[in-house]
Amino acid sequence: MSTNTRRHLTSPRLMRIRPLLAAALLVVASCARPGLAPIPSDRPVVIAHRGASGHRPEHTVAAYTLAVQMGADFIEPDLVSTKDGVLIARHENEIGGTTDVAQKFPDRKTRKIVDGDTMTGWFTEDFTLAELRTLRAKERLPFRSHAYDGQFAIPTFDEVLALADSLGRARGRVVGVYPETKHPTYHRSIGLPLEEKLLAALKARALDDRKAPVFIQSFEDGNLRTLRGQTTVKLVYLTSTPLSAERLRDIATFADGVGVNQRLVVGADSAAAPTSLIRDAHAAGLAVHVWTTRSEPVFLAKRYGGDPVAEVRELVRLGADGIFGDFPDVVVEGVRGARRGAAR
């Protein structure tokens, strides 16, 4: 980055207006599709993490549909590639834990190194879309309901976009889409890059500009830096690592927001004091979306006394611009409750 660019990014005038820029992102993200009401911009957006994944197997049409019925503003498809280059919605390219692939293709189990980690299982890039169409999703976590195992297929990204459009029209309000590029460097290294197909799919539905109800997210800043030169769609850098003010200013050069683990905002202990992360990010001109709220005791911090709504309300009070949740109904309730409390 040039010296002139650094001076511009840290100029007193820009530093004063950056909090306004972060707030404006919510308005931009709320841009309505023709004939539909916009996503509300006067509260944090509710992001259904892998759909309503606390209620249905993750990344299925059923999970996304239920999330919208519960009031979610955005549905989140994680994107990986098939052998024949089709983007599908799976949290990881290893699908042994989320589908019945082990029963249907037992001989396709293999070992790979993905982003430096050695993994054993079944990988989407070894299967064609036609083969993956024969699989059915199952619940990943043992302590959640398995009543819906074996009922739902794996959707493509195009199908998720079509679903968001139809669900939005059915409820009369925009349904946003929040795709994540999973292991983009790895995918490119095996000749199955994600970015071009992602952008082409968005363009085909006129969702390829800054006003679209879309955020693209990634844990890889190199991935986002490349995308920044290819699209004006809003970009979000994901992290579970503490962020200094200097790092936040750097992120602001290639992203519009940060998606942060909630433990970077509020610790798990009942005596933990909230950090200044949200305030610091806003000062850098970045929106802050916090992940991932979950209702089960194994995930919920002690400070909330077993009440998952209390966690959402605290994140709202601290200024979060968006909240990811496996239980979008809980996030909706918490956001509404916090707004009512603020009104009093």
Side-chain angles (χ1 to χ4, degrees):
M1 184 166 50
S2 70
T3 301
N4 287 339
T5 301
R6 289 183 185 277
R7 289 197 187 105
H8 171 70
L9 290 171
T10 57
S11 69
R13 178 177 179 275
L14 186 56
M15 294 300 287
R16 285 196 300 270
I17 67 173
R18 271 178 167 156
L20 299 178
L21 296 178
L25 271 178
L26 291 177
V27 179
V28 173
S30 303
C31 181
R33 308 295 285 162
L36 300 183
I39 296 171
S41 58
D42 61 344
R43 57 160 174 78
V45 291
V46 177
I47 307 153
H49 185 242
R50 313 179 200 176
S53 56
H55 299 280
R56 299 290 186 274
E58 63 187 42
H59 293 310
T60 59
V61 167
Y64 296 135
T65 300
L66 181 59
V68 173
Q69 292 170 346
M70 290 176 164
D73 300 308
F74 286 82
I75 55 177
E76 184 218 22
D78 296 324
L79 301 181
V80 297
S81 181
T82 68
K83 184 177 183 179
D84 42 352
V86 179
L87 298 185
I88 60 171
R90 289 287 90 190
H91 179 59
E92 291 288 344
N93 55 327
E94 198 292 303
I95 54 173
T98 61
T99 73
D100 57 0
V101 66
Q103 288 72 48
K104 292 181 176 175
F105 295 94
D107 60 336
R108 303 282 279 274
K109 188 175 184 179
T110 187
R111 178 175 294 179
K112 299 193 178 192
I113 298 176
V114 180
D115 292 343
D117 295 324
T118 300
M119 304 174 67
T120 300
W122 292 260
F123 298 84
T124 60
E125 65 268 24
D126 294 334
F127 295 84
T128 65
L129 178 62
E131 290 174 322
L132 291 170
R133 293 283 198 196
T134 68
L135 303 182
R136 291 297 177 266
K138 67 178 183 179
E139 172 55 48
R140 178 176 55 89
L141 298 175
F143 49 79
R144 287 182 176 170
S145 172
H146 286 255
Y148 298 94
D149 286 4
Q151 296 187 27
F152 309 123
I154 298 173
T156 67
F157 183 45
D158 284 334
E159 289 167 347
V160 175
L161 292 175
L163 179 68
D165 182 67
S166 65
L167 291 173
R169 294 184 187 282
R171 78 174 180 183
R173 179 163 68 83
V174 169
V175 173
V177 181
Y178 208 126
E180 180 185 347
T181 55
K182 300 295 293 191
H183 308 295
T185 297
Y186 169 78
H187 275 95
R188 186 167 291 277
S189 75
I190 61 173
L192 294 169
L194 306 175
E195 296 86 351
E196 291 80 0
K197 291 183 174 65
L198 165 58
L199 296 179
L202 293 176
K203 184 175 182 179
R205 293 185 173 275
L207 294 170
D208 59 336
D209 62 39
R210 191 166 184 77
K211 293 183 179 180
V214 177
F215 289 97
I216 299 174
Q217 56 179 330
S218 179
F219 279 97
E220 296 187 20
D221 62 355
N223 175 230
L224 294 176
R225 290 178 194 274
T226 298
L227 283 168
R228 183 76 297 160
Q230 298 173 329
T231 183
T232 60
V233 171
K234 298 171 293 298
L235 305 179
V236 174
Y237 175 66
L238 301 172
T239 186
S240 57
T241 302
L243 299 169
S244 66
E246 181 179 7
R247 176 59 172 152
L248 288 166
R249 289 193 294 271
D250 175 52
I251 293 169
T253 66
F254 62 86
D256 304 287
V258 289
V260 300
N261 186 296
Q262 75 258 53
R263 297 297 164 252
L264 297 180
V265 177
V266 182
D269 189 85
S270 56
T275 71
S276 63
L277 175 58
I278 293 178
R279 183 172 65 251
D280 294 343
H282 285 172
L286 295 164
V288 180
H289 295 168
V290 182
W291 52 268
T292 300
T293 61
R294 298 179 170 102
S295 298
E296 292 98 347
V298 67
F299 296 120
L300 193 62
K302 295 178 181 179
R303 65 186 291 109
Y304 304 115
D307 181 5
V309 176
E311 179 179 33
V312 177
R313 288 174 176 164
E314 180 166 43
L315 293 172
V316 174
R317 287 195 298 270
L318 292 173
D321 302 297
I323 301 172
F324 287 81
D326 284 9
F327 299 85
D329 48 335
V330 172
V331 181
V332 168
E333 180 183 352
V335 166
R336 289 174 177 167
R339 291 179 65 201
R340 285 195 297 269
R344 288 197 297 270

